[in-house]
Amino acid sequence: MSKIISVANQKGGVGKTTSAINLSAALAKEGKRVLLIDADPQANASSGLGVDIHNAGTTLYECLINGAEAEQAIRETAVKGLDIIPSHIDLVGAEIEMLGLDDRENILKHLLSPIRAKYDYIIIDCSPSLGLITVNALTASDSVIIPVQAEFFALEGIAKLLNTIKIIKSQLNPNLQIEGFLVTMYDNRLRLSAQVYEEVKKHFGKLVFSTVITRNVRLSEAPSHGLSVIDYDKSSKGAQNYIALARELIKR
């Protein structure tokens, strides 16, 4: 049975999609069977793994709204062992369409139930909002990874996300855990990065991953080629960071 992990933070620009793509690829490189679900209408995780988002066929939207089965939406990627359920811009309107549906917070959970046994990990890239699709993702998940940018306002907005997680735990998914806080965009040259990391550690202790994701130009370049950073430049610092993160996650 797979472990389902959401990658979530309603604050944009924290490396959420980058982490979802590259952690998924790194887990696959470690021999795990992985499914990445792009639950963000911007569809950056889909295009970042080479999916033509304008001709993606069945996407997460059709699954959530039209009752398509998850199996119909799964696409293989160029990474052996890594599949994806792509997103589509139509997902923007899905939250309004879902309002009238029965058991609307559990649609994604029911969707994933038939395919869980096929994978070791299912990673969900959430949108930078705390809307109904993110609620669905957290309700379907065993745990959540929270990327935190190593910059001045790092902890801004996290209280709101933690409160959402608390509500979901109490009302929809009592088993939901915080997998860990992942410090991203870390710059070894800046004292501020080290201070932010220490601040996050002070607040969240052992929940903070030992692995940090350092600023790396290869991480920025890889999505434009439709590749994970590991396939784009395995020797890069970014690739090494995500391989280390995958190993830390597996060890946990």
Side-chain angles (χ1 to χ4, degrees), residues 31-47:
K32 303 299 181 184
R33 297 165 303 159
V34 185
L35 174 66
L36 174 60
I37 298 174
D38 189 351
D40 186 343
Q42 296 175 83
N44 289 336
S46 303
S47 58

Side-chain angles (χ1 to χ4, degrees), residues 67-84:
E69 293 180 5
E71 198 72 59
Q72 296 172 255
I74 293 172
R75 303 273 177 281
E76 291 183 354
T77 73
V79 181
K80 186 183 178 186
L82 174 58
D83 295 340
I84 187 170

